[in-house]
Amino acid sequence: VVIVGAGFGGLQCAKALAGAAVDITLVDQRNHHTFQPLLYQVATAGLGADDIAHSVRGIFQHQPNVTFRLGTVVGVDVESSHVLVDPGPALPYDHLVLAAGAATSTFGVPGVAEHAFELKSVAEALALRNQVLTCFERADVEPAFVADGGLTFVVVGGGPTGVETCGALSELVHRVLCADFHALDMSAVRIVLVEATDHVLGGFHPRLRAYGLERLADMGVEVQLAAAVAGIEPTAVVLASRERIAAHTTVWVAGVRAVPMADALPFPKGPGGRITVGPDLTVPGHPSIHVIGDLADARRTDGTPLAGVAPVAMQAGRFVAQAIATGEPRVFRYRNKGTMATIGRNAAVTELPLGLRFRGFPAWVLWLFVHIMYLVGFRNRANVLVNWGWNYLTYDRAARLIVRPERDGSE
Amino acid sequence: VVIVGAGFGGLQCAKALAGAAVDITLVDQRNHHTFQPLLYQVATAGLGADDIAHSVRGIFQHQPNVTFRLGTVVGVDVESSHVLVDPGPALPYDHLVLAAGAATSTFGVPGVAEHAFELKSVAEALALRNQVLTCFERADVEPAFVADGGLTFVVVGGGPTGVETCGALSELVHRVLCADFHALDMSAVRIVLVEATDHVLGGFHPRLRAYGLERLADMGVEVQLAAAVAGIEPTAVVLASRERIAAHTTVWVAGVRAVPMADALPFPKGPGGRITVGPDLTVPGHPSIHVIGDLADARRTDGTPLAGVAPVAMQAGRFVAQAIATGEPRVFRYRNKGTMATIGRNAAVTELPLGLRFRGFPAWVLWLFVHIMYLVGFRNRANVLVNWGWNYLTYDRAARLIVRPERDGSE
């Protein structure tokens, strides 16, 4: 069994095959699993990079049927059943599980790839942290920089990641940096959330959306709804309405598509380049190739697509593991256990099945609990608990370091 | 008062002036204080970068007479009493405290700057961590890489940093990576400590030196004494004896000199480019300019130089603060409280005044205690305690992540 991708889906699949009489090779282009839902906290100095990532080899130290391979998948030879990996030899497979996840979708907007920050990896989160802190340092000595939008932070995309990033940025600025920079006027800081539709937190109940908007307004975040972005420049965001927002920092969390690897694979694709799969999560005509998580265009029986969230990928990973172990194809059914997003201190929204909805403090406590539970590794959990406890009690964000590479350390 | 450098000396000086009626500007080229004695643990994946560094602005949030300035000092105009900082305007001073510390000294050995890893900053420690882990990943798929010295790690310099780095590397390899890489033969790993003199741990009592050598041998570290390095190449270290050690990774911790900034200053210099100071730690002829820590060539009354270690810098910082606050010049006397170095699990050496010497477990516990005490910030202490407890109980090194910049995030 070859599993491509050590995200939520790939990990669950490999773990669920622990007792099975199979040899598993897990391939990823990074040596660590990234807990993507908390990347925004690394970007806003609330957590360290090491708190939310975990060595893949470490996860499987005690599962002898898993071998890890660091490398990039450059193709799949379906004729000979081999996965082509760079560097190193190709990997033969009997069963292939593609779980390589999603990349940022620019929707063809010019300037996104060149000038916007993204939040899909630890390195990107650290780059954004460096950028935010450097803007404040520069503003402290260069008043013209502030007038030029140096302290304006635009977040494009009003989904959970965009809302969480805006909330965390606001807390960083108004609870921590205001004390760090005595001489700076924090009223010059603008945090702008730009969303193309007429609401934030799509996927949540309208009452929770309204609560989110209200909390964002309380935190000083300017929300621009029904605002499409026409282009991103180094020091401005241009909207379709021709409005220009002067900003040196733009975060693009507006959408995802399949990782570029998918484009090279000879399988039919659905929206966003996702690989079309049948109800058993295999590629039609290739019963030994499974696709799960954000890489798959999987549908419910009524034809609606499954959301690109961690619980879907995890359940699909376990489902595919069972299908491989038993050899019996079945139909994947996603059991929705709910969705959640946090806006700030004591403020979150949670939507559970059967119409159960929470907001405010109870939703926030539930959010904390679920995120700690799903972190990989006891040490990561303990560190995150220490940091969150510290942040909550002191209003501090201790990881506000600017660390730039002084040499790249490559061979 | 302008203080250049937020290391041990600069921080102590600024803190000791907390109650004084002075305005302090603290300048550093990084926005954080780095706890340099533990950088080797970041390089060997025992600690995260955020655990041993602390935002300078955060340290002085509650000390209103301190202003921080992120920038590089490019010169001092002694005529007009201004410090030239890039970027931003020059800083006028009544009292100047130069505490910018040390840089790596290559002693003119060719290839050090180009091919060796150093351990003076968080970024350098992370680069070394990436390198070590990447070598093992590469060895796992490329047997020829091992034969070419891909798993040979040469550490040049047998002082405390070199010994600690070798010990930590050995534990990383033989306690953690051996379980990560089932298919790799760990007997192919060589850790070589190269030292130009005939002993390691210079500055310690011969009995403690012998203990250090013995422990290193137990841990599988090859120690080459009386071995001078003639040059460093990308894949080899060349000794003066013409011996070539094939190695893709060389760590250079053989010596320090004053930071390059010192070269531009119009003051007399001693060995290693350090600025010569009188018994009151001022530059002769410039009573308002103090130099402390690794940047100073300070001498005891018998003419012997003071060691370039944290306690000297900290005591000098407090001494200069008092001299500035009281206006009374006095003679600086260093009170030696001891020196310590750790070699590995349960193994350290400690030399206290009055000939008190410890080794093994008691020295190691003392080492742990002192390092936790001197870490800045409760959160850093709590995180380091959690990580050390975890590492000790599980033999794990949880921070073994390869994180390379995907974009540099600069403006």
Side-chain angles (χ1 to χ4, degrees), chain A residues 37 45 58 75 80 122 126 135 140-141 144 161 173 202 208 224 257 276 288 290 293 313-314 321 334 338 354 407:
Chain A
S80 70
V122 167
L126 292 175
C135 282
D140 201 34
V141 287
T161 307
V173 170
L208 297 182
Q224 300 219 9
R257 47 157 290 131
T276 307
S288 62
H290 306 258
M314 294 168 82
Y334 173 57
L354 307 172
R407 56 175 292 175

Side-chain angles (χ1 to χ4, degrees), chain B residues 123-139:
Chain B
E124 287 169 354
L126 292 176
L128 179 56
R129 186 179 81 184
N130 282 346
Q131 166 75 6
V132 171
L133 296 174
T134 302
C135 282
F136 280 87
E137 293 290 350
R138 192 169 158 196

Side-chain angles (χ1 to χ4, degrees), chain B residues 86-109:
Chain B
D86 178 51
L91 294 168
Y93 66 84
D94 296 315
H95 291 277
L96 175 61
V97 182
L98 296 172
T104 297
S105 170
T106 67
F107 299 117
V109 173

Side-chain angles (χ1 to χ4, degrees), chain A residues 21-40:
Chain A
V22 291
D23 286 324
I24 303 162
T25 302
L26 182 56
V27 187
D28 200 288
Q29 55 179 325
R30 304 202 179 87
N31 82 331
H32 51 273
H33 166 71
T34 307
F35 195 81
Q36 289 189 339
L38 291 178
L39 279 173
Y40 79 94

Side-chain angles (χ1 to χ4, degrees), chain A residues 30-32 47-51 53-55 57-58 60-61 66 68-70 87-89 113-117 121-124 126-127 129-131 133 135 137-138 140-141 145 176 179-182 248 378-379 382-383 386-387 390 398-411, chain B residues 30-32 47-51 53-55 57-58 60-61 66 68-70 87-89 113-117 121-124 126-127 129-131 133 135 137-138 140-141 145 176 179-182 248 378-379 382-383 386-387 390 398-411:
Chain A
R30 304 202 179 87
N31 82 331
H32 51 273
L47 292 174
D50 306 302
D51 299 333
H54 198 294
S55 154
R57 289 184 187 274
F60 294 105
Q61 261 192 3
V66 174
F68 178 68
R69 174 78 167 275
L70 182 70
E114 299 83 2
H115 309 305
F117 289 82
S121 70
V122 167
E124 286 170 354
L126 292 175
R129 186 179 81 184
N130 282 346
Q131 165 75 6
L133 296 173
C135 282
E137 292 290 350
R138 192 168 160 197
D140 201 34
V141 287
F145 179 68
V176 182
D180 274 3
F181 294 85
H182 307 280
H248 284 243
F378 167 79
R379 172 193 162 276
N383 272 339
V386 165
N387 288 335
W390 176 252
R400 50 190 194 282
L401 315 177
I402 302 174
V403 178
R404 291 190 199 286
E406 287 171 28
R407 56 175 292 175
D408 76 351
S410 56
E411 294 238 282
Chain B
R30 302 202 180 87
N31 83 329
H32 51 273
L47 291 174
D50 305 303
D51 299 333
H54 199 295
S55 152
R57 291 184 186 272
F60 293 106
Q61 259 192 5
V66 175
F68 178 69
R69 173 78 167 273
L70 181 71
E114 298 83 1
H115 309 305
F117 288 82
S121 69
V122 167
E124 287 169 354
L126 292 176
R129 186 179 81 184
N130 282 346
Q131 166 75 6
L133 296 174
C135 282
E137 293 290 350
R138 192 169 158 196
D140 200 35
V141 287
F145 179 68
V176 183
D180 273 2
F181 294 84
H182 307 280
H248 283 244
F378 167 81
R379 171 194 163 277
N383 272 339
V386 166
N387 287 334
W390 177 251
R400 49 191 195 283
L401 314 178
I402 303 173
V403 178
R404 292 191 197 288
E406 288 170 27
R407 54 176 294 173
D408 76 351
S410 57
E411 293 238 284

Side-chain angles (χ1 to χ4, degrees), chain A residues 278-298:
Chain A
D280 60 350
L281 302 183
T282 63
V283 178
H286 298 277
S288 62
I289 303 181
H290 306 258
V291 189
I292 59 175
D294 289 3
L295 188 58
D297 180 28

